[in-house]
Amino acid sequence: PELVMPENQRIFPDPHDPDHIAKVIDELGGVDIAFGGIGINGHLAFNESQDELTPEEFAALHTRVLAISRETRTANAIGDLNGAIDAMTIGMAEILGAKKIRLGVFRDWHRSVVRQAAYGEVSAHFPATLIQRHPDAMIIVNANAAKQPF
């Protein structure tokens, strides 16, 4: 317990005050490192594709409440979140504003996600591609996600 950060340093997005996260980040002078993963459709922190936006418009999205896609609901139902339907997400602006980004992937289906994130066209269709433009982003892949198809 003595190694856990104090409760006053644990900050979560609040659906009643979505701007709170950006205010705290601004007050603290920015984010040193953002940790996360990549969703089945390339989303980062539930920032799912919005094809009608340019990559620049998508990158500027802030913390908000949004409905999540059928693919994400399915993955959540068999994974970590027991089928969450709506989500509060930290925005792409906050993620991409971090000095460093570290994304971990470890599932079989991450094989194609990693290739798309690293080498696909940068777009709002596959949000993880936006990290290609970040000066210090890294995808950390375990042996399972790195395995090549036969």
Side-chain angles (χ1 to χ4, degrees), residues 25-55:
I25 290 171
D26 191 47
E27 289 170 9
L28 295 173
V31 173
D32 291 327
I33 189 166
F35 292 99
I38 304 174
I40 196 161
N41 55 12
H43 70 263
L44 301 177
F46 295 117
N47 288 282
E48 301 206 77
S49 71
Q50 289 187 248
D51 293 343
E52 70 278 9
L53 300 180
T54 67

mmCIF file of all heavy atoms in Angstrom, residues 25-55:
data_model
loop_
_atom_site.group_PDB
_atom_site.id
_atom_site.type_symbol
_atom_site.label_atom_id
_atom_site.label_comp_id
_atom_site.label_asym_id
_atom_site.label_seq_id
_atom_site.Cartn_x
_atom_site.Cartn_y
_atom_site.Cartn_z
ATOM 1 N N ILE A 25 -3.655 18.514 -16.804
ATOM 2 C CA ILE A 25 -2.435 18.346 -17.601
ATOM 3 C C ILE A 25 -1.760 19.695 -17.815
ATOM 4 O O ILE A 25 -0.538 19.823 -17.670
ATOM 5 C CB ILE A 25 -2.758 17.654 -18.948
ATOM 6 C CG1 ILE A 25 -3.132 16.187 -18.701
ATOM 7 C CG2 ILE A 25 -1.579 17.763 -19.919
ATOM 8 C CD1 ILE A 25 -3.678 15.470 -19.928
ATOM 9 N N ASP A 26 -2.547 20.707 -18.138
ATOM 10 C CA ASP A 26 -2.006 22.047 -18.362
ATOM 11 C C ASP A 26 -1.376 22.601 -17.078
ATOM 12 O O ASP A 26 -0.264 23.144 -17.114
ATOM 13 C CB ASP A 26 -3.116 22.963 -18.875
ATOM 14 C CG ASP A 26 -2.578 24.281 -19.380
ATOM 15 O OD1 ASP A 26 -1.592 24.249 -20.147
ATOM 16 O OD2 ASP A 26 -3.137 25.337 -19.014
ATOM 17 N N GLU A 27 -2.070 22.444 -15.949
ATOM 18 C CA GLU A 27 -1.552 22.920 -14.665
ATOM 19 C C GLU A 27 -0.232 22.255 -14.297
ATOM 20 O O GLU A 27 0.643 22.864 -13.689
ATOM 21 C CB GLU A 27 -2.569 22.670 -13.554
ATOM 22 C CG GLU A 27 -3.785 23.556 -13.608
ATOM 23 C CD GLU A 27 -4.871 23.122 -12.631
ATOM 24 O OE1 GLU A 27 -4.622 22.233 -11.785
ATOM 25 O OE2 GLU A 27 -5.982 23.667 -12.735
ATOM 26 N N LEU A 28 -0.093 20.969 -14.658
ATOM 27 C CA LEU A 28 1.114 20.217 -14.316
ATOM 28 C C LEU A 28 2.233 20.395 -15.340
ATOM 29 O O LEU A 28 3.318 19.852 -15.168
ATOM 30 C CB LEU A 28 0.778 18.729 -14.157
ATOM 31 C CG LEU A 28 -0.156 18.395 -12.996
ATOM 32 C CD1 LEU A 28 -0.555 16.930 -13.039
ATOM 33 C CD2 LEU A 28 0.496 18.748 -11.660
ATOM 34 N N GLY A 29 1.957 21.101 -16.426
ATOM 35 C CA GLY A 29 2.990 21.343 -17.427
ATOM 36 C C GLY A 29 3.146 20.237 -18.452
ATOM 37 O O GLY A 29 4.191 20.109 -19.080
ATOM 38 N N GLY A 30 2.125 19.407 -18.620
ATOM 39 C CA GLY A 30 2.165 18.364 -19.640
ATOM 40 C C GLY A 30 2.282 16.967 -19.058
ATOM 41 O O GLY A 30 2.333 16.779 -17.847
ATOM 42 N N VAL A 31 2.325 16.006 -19.978
ATOM 43 C CA VAL A 31 2.417 14.587 -19.619
ATOM 44 C C VAL A 31 3.763 14.058 -20.091
ATOM 45 O O VAL A 31 4.146 14.269 -21.245
ATOM 46 C CB VAL A 31 1.270 13.786 -20.287
ATOM 47 C CG1 VAL A 31 1.436 12.298 -20.076
ATOM 48 C CG2 VAL A 31 -0.077 14.258 -19.767
ATOM 49 N N ASP A 32 4.495 13.401 -19.214
ATOM 50 C CA ASP A 32 5.783 12.829 -19.581
ATOM 51 C C ASP A 32 5.620 11.594 -20.454
ATOM 52 O O ASP A 32 6.336 11.432 -21.437
ATOM 53 C CB ASP A 32 6.602 12.478 -18.337
ATOM 54 C CG ASP A 32 7.067 13.719 -17.594
ATOM 55 O OD1 ASP A 32 7.330 14.745 -18.241
ATOM 56 O OD2 ASP A 32 7.149 13.662 -16.349
ATOM 57 N N ILE A 33 4.695 10.702 -20.065
ATOM 58 C CA ILE A 33 4.542 9.456 -20.818
ATOM 59 C C ILE A 33 3.094 8.976 -20.739
ATOM 60 O O ILE A 33 2.469 9.045 -19.685
ATOM 61 C CB ILE A 33 5.519 8.367 -20.309
ATOM 62 C CG1 ILE A 33 5.512 7.150 -21.215
ATOM 63 C CG2 ILE A 33 5.257 8.020 -18.874
ATOM 64 C CD1 ILE A 33 6.681 6.197 -20.982
ATOM 65 N N ALA A 34 2.574 8.522 -21.870
ATOM 66 C CA ALA A 34 1.232 7.949 -21.931
ATOM 67 C C ALA A 34 1.368 6.467 -22.230
ATOM 68 O O ALA A 34 2.048 6.084 -23.190
ATOM 69 C CB ALA A 34 0.411 8.637 -23.021
ATOM 70 N N PHE A 35 0.752 5.636 -21.408
ATOM 71 C CA PHE A 35 0.743 4.189 -21.604
ATOM 72 C C PHE A 35 -0.636 3.763 -22.084
ATOM 73 O O PHE A 35 -1.641 4.333 -21.665
ATOM 74 C CB PHE A 35 1.050 3.453 -20.295
ATOM 75 C CG PHE A 35 2.447 3.631 -19.802
ATOM 76 C CD1 PHE A 35 2.719 4.562 -18.807
ATOM 77 C CD2 PHE A 35 3.486 2.884 -20.318
ATOM 78 C CE1 PHE A 35 3.999 4.729 -18.328
ATOM 79 C CE2 PHE A 35 4.780 3.048 -19.852
ATOM 80 C CZ PHE A 35 5.038 3.975 -18.857
ATOM 81 N N GLY A 36 -0.692 2.758 -22.932
ATOM 82 C CA GLY A 36 -1.976 2.252 -23.380
ATOM 83 C C GLY A 36 -1.816 1.030 -24.251
ATOM 84 O O GLY A 36 -0.757 0.394 -24.281
ATOM 85 N N GLY A 37 -2.863 0.720 -24.959
ATOM 86 C CA GLY A 37 -2.868 -0.402 -25.883
ATOM 87 C C GLY A 37 -3.594 0.017 -27.151
ATOM 88 O O GLY A 37 -4.043 1.157 -27.274
ATOM 89 N N ILE A 38 -3.707 -0.894 -28.069
ATOM 90 C CA ILE A 38 -4.382 -0.629 -29.337
ATOM 91 C C ILE A 38 -5.583 -1.562 -29.426
ATOM 92 O O ILE A 38 -5.442 -2.767 -29.254
ATOM 93 C CB ILE A 38 -3.445 -0.847 -30.539
ATOM 94 C CG1 ILE A 38 -2.190 0.011 -30.401
ATOM 95 C CG2 ILE A 38 -4.187 -0.541 -31.847
ATOM 96 C CD1 ILE A 38 -1.138 -0.259 -31.481
ATOM 97 N N GLY A 39 -6.744 -0.990 -29.705
ATOM 98 C CA GLY A 39 -7.962 -1.777 -29.818
ATOM 99 C C GLY A 39 -8.054 -2.497 -31.150
ATOM 100 O O GLY A 39 -7.293 -2.236 -32.092
ATOM 101 N N ILE A 40 -9.021 -3.384 -31.247
ATOM 102 C CA ILE A 40 -9.168 -4.262 -32.402
ATOM 103 C C ILE A 40 -9.366 -3.490 -33.710
ATOM 104 O O ILE A 40 -8.991 -3.963 -34.778
ATOM 105 C CB ILE A 40 -10.305 -5.279 -32.174
ATOM 106 C CG1 ILE A 40 -10.204 -6.418 -33.165
ATOM 107 C CG2 ILE A 40 -11.668 -4.597 -32.191
ATOM 108 C CD1 ILE A 40 -10.964 -7.661 -32.757
ATOM 109 N N ASN A 41 -9.927 -2.299 -33.631
ATOM 110 C CA ASN A 41 -10.112 -1.489 -34.832
ATOM 111 C C ASN A 41 -9.161 -0.293 -34.868
ATOM 112 O O ASN A 41 -9.413 0.684 -35.552
ATOM 113 C CB ASN A 41 -11.572 -1.047 -34.960
ATOM 114 C CG ASN A 41 -12.053 -0.319 -33.732
ATOM 115 O OD1 ASN A 41 -11.268 0.060 -32.865
ATOM 116 N ND2 ASN A 41 -13.346 -0.126 -33.635
ATOM 117 N N GLY A 42 -8.079 -0.402 -34.114
ATOM 118 C CA GLY A 42 -7.052 0.634 -34.120
ATOM 119 C C GLY A 42 -7.289 1.768 -33.155
ATOM 120 O O GLY A 42 -6.555 2.751 -33.165
ATOM 121 N N HIS A 43 -8.310 1.648 -32.289
ATOM 122 C CA HIS A 43 -8.566 2.762 -31.382
ATOM 123 C C HIS A 43 -7.543 2.816 -30.262
ATOM 124 O O HIS A 43 -6.940 1.813 -29.892
ATOM 125 C CB HIS A 43 -9.997 2.707 -30.822
ATOM 126 C CG HIS A 43 -10.256 1.592 -29.866
ATOM 127 N ND1 HIS A 43 -10.842 0.411 -30.248
ATOM 128 C CD2 HIS A 43 -10.021 1.489 -28.540
ATOM 129 C CE1 HIS A 43 -10.963 -0.374 -29.190
ATOM 130 N NE2 HIS A 43 -10.469 0.258 -28.148
ATOM 131 N N LEU A 44 -7.333 4.025 -29.777
ATOM 132 C CA LEU A 44 -6.507 4.271 -28.607
ATOM 133 C C LEU A 44 -7.415 4.883 -27.553
ATOM 134 O O LEU A 44 -8.066 5.896 -27.814
ATOM 135 C CB LEU A 44 -5.372 5.247 -28.923
ATOM 136 C CG LEU A 44 -4.393 4.834 -30.018
ATOM 137 C CD1 LEU A 44 -3.371 5.937 -30.253
ATOM 138 C CD2 LEU A 44 -3.690 3.541 -29.648
ATOM 139 N N ALA A 45 -7.471 4.265 -26.392
ATOM 140 C CA ALA A 45 -8.298 4.768 -25.289
ATOM 141 C C ALA A 45 -9.727 5.057 -25.746
ATOM 142 O O ALA A 45 -10.304 6.074 -25.394
ATOM 143 C CB ALA A 45 -7.663 6.009 -24.666
ATOM 144 N N PHE A 46 -10.308 4.187 -26.525
ATOM 145 C CA PHE A 46 -11.682 4.311 -27.040
ATOM 146 C C PHE A 46 -11.873 5.450 -28.035
ATOM 147 O O PHE A 46 -12.993 5.798 -28.363
ATOM 148 C CB PHE A 46 -12.717 4.389 -25.915
ATOM 149 C CG PHE A 46 -12.811 3.138 -25.103
ATOM 150 C CD1 PHE A 46 -12.495 3.147 -23.763
ATOM 151 C CD2 PHE A 46 -13.199 1.949 -25.687
ATOM 152 C CE1 PHE A 46 -12.567 1.986 -23.005
ATOM 153 C CE2 PHE A 46 -13.279 0.778 -24.939
ATOM 154 C CZ PHE A 46 -12.961 0.801 -23.599
ATOM 155 N N ASN A 47 -10.798 6.035 -28.527
ATOM 156 C CA ASN A 47 -10.906 6.993 -29.621
ATOM 157 C C ASN A 47 -11.040 6.181 -30.896
ATOM 158 O O ASN A 47 -10.058 5.828 -31.545
ATOM 159 C CB ASN A 47 -9.663 7.887 -29.688
ATOM 160 C CG ASN A 47 -9.614 8.873 -28.561
ATOM 161 O OD1 ASN A 47 -10.298 9.883 -28.594
ATOM 162 N ND2 ASN A 47 -8.813 8.564 -27.540
ATOM 163 N N GLU A 48 -12.288 5.855 -31.249
ATOM 164 C CA GLU A 48 -12.558 5.004 -32.403
ATOM 165 C C GLU A 48 -12.664 5.833 -33.675
ATOM 166 O O GLU A 48 -12.841 7.043 -33.627
ATOM 167 C CB GLU A 48 -13.824 4.200 -32.164
ATOM 168 C CG GLU A 48 -13.683 3.346 -30.912
ATOM 169 C CD GLU A 48 -14.538 2.126 -30.927
ATOM 170 O OE1 GLU A 48 -14.158 1.167 -31.610
ATOM 171 O OE2 GLU A 48 -15.567 2.132 -30.243
ATOM 172 N N SER A 49 -12.543 5.157 -34.800
ATOM 173 C CA SER A 49 -12.471 5.829 -36.092
ATOM 174 C C SER A 49 -13.619 6.803 -36.312
ATOM 175 O O SER A 49 -14.746 6.588 -35.871
ATOM 176 C CB SER A 49 -12.433 4.811 -37.228
ATOM 177 O OG SER A 49 -13.674 4.185 -37.369
ATOM 178 N N GLN A 50 -13.275 7.896 -36.967
ATOM 179 C CA GLN A 50 -14.246 8.885 -37.426
ATOM 180 C C GLN A 50 -13.799 9.291 -38.821
ATOM 181 O O GLN A 50 -13.058 10.253 -39.004
ATOM 182 C CB GLN A 50 -14.304 10.084 -36.482
ATOM 183 C CG GLN A 50 -14.946 9.755 -35.146
ATOM 184 C CD GLN A 50 -15.152 10.975 -34.287
ATOM 185 O OE1 GLN A 50 -14.500 11.110 -33.261
ATOM 186 N NE2 GLN A 50 -16.053 11.854 -34.692
ATOM 187 N N ASP A 51 -14.258 8.524 -39.793
ATOM 188 C CA ASP A 51 -13.799 8.691 -41.167
ATOM 189 C C ASP A 51 -14.059 10.083 -41.733
ATOM 190 O O ASP A 51 -13.390 10.499 -42.676
ATOM 191 C CB ASP A 51 -14.438 7.639 -42.073
ATOM 192 C CG ASP A 51 -13.965 6.230 -41.745
ATOM 193 O OD1 ASP A 51 -12.933 6.084 -41.062
ATOM 194 O OD2 ASP A 51 -14.640 5.276 -42.165
ATOM 195 N N GLU A 52 -15.022 10.786 -41.174
ATOM 196 C CA GLU A 52 -15.348 12.110 -41.692
ATOM 197 C C GLU A 52 -14.327 13.170 -41.282
ATOM 198 O O GLU A 52 -14.347 14.293 -41.786
ATOM 199 C CB GLU A 52 -16.752 12.537 -41.235
ATOM 200 C CG GLU A 52 -16.889 12.843 -39.754
ATOM 201 C CD GLU A 52 -17.080 11.633 -38.834
ATOM 202 O OE1 GLU A 52 -16.940 10.477 -39.298
ATOM 203 O OE2 GLU A 52 -17.354 11.833 -37.644
ATOM 204 N N LEU A 53 -13.414 12.824 -40.375
ATOM 205 C CA LEU A 53 -12.400 13.765 -39.901
ATOM 206 C C LEU A 53 -11.062 13.549 -40.599
ATOM 207 O O LEU A 53 -10.710 12.423 -40.945
ATOM 208 C CB LEU A 53 -12.202 13.617 -38.390
ATOM 209 C CG LEU A 53 -13.415 13.863 -37.500
ATOM 210 C CD1 LEU A 53 -13.035 13.670 -36.036
ATOM 211 C CD2 LEU A 53 -13.996 15.245 -37.727
ATOM 212 N N THR A 54 -10.314 14.608 -40.761
ATOM 213 C CA THR A 54 -8.934 14.488 -41.234
ATOM 214 C C THR A 54 -8.094 13.987 -40.070
ATOM 215 O O THR A 54 -8.513 14.083 -38.901
ATOM 216 C CB THR A 54 -8.382 15.846 -41.689
ATOM 217 O OG1 THR A 54 -8.265 16.701 -40.538
ATOM 218 C CG2 THR A 54 -9.254 16.489 -42.767
ATOM 219 N N PRO A 55 -6.890 13.485 -40.344
ATOM 220 C CA PRO A 55 -6.027 13.073 -39.228
ATOM 221 C C PRO A 55 -5.766 14.229 -38.248
ATOM 222 O O PRO A 55 -5.721 14.009 -37.032
ATOM 223 C CB PRO A 55 -4.739 12.634 -39.921
ATOM 224 C CG PRO A 55 -5.170 12.215 -41.286
ATOM 225 C CD PRO A 55 -6.297 13.143 -41.641
#
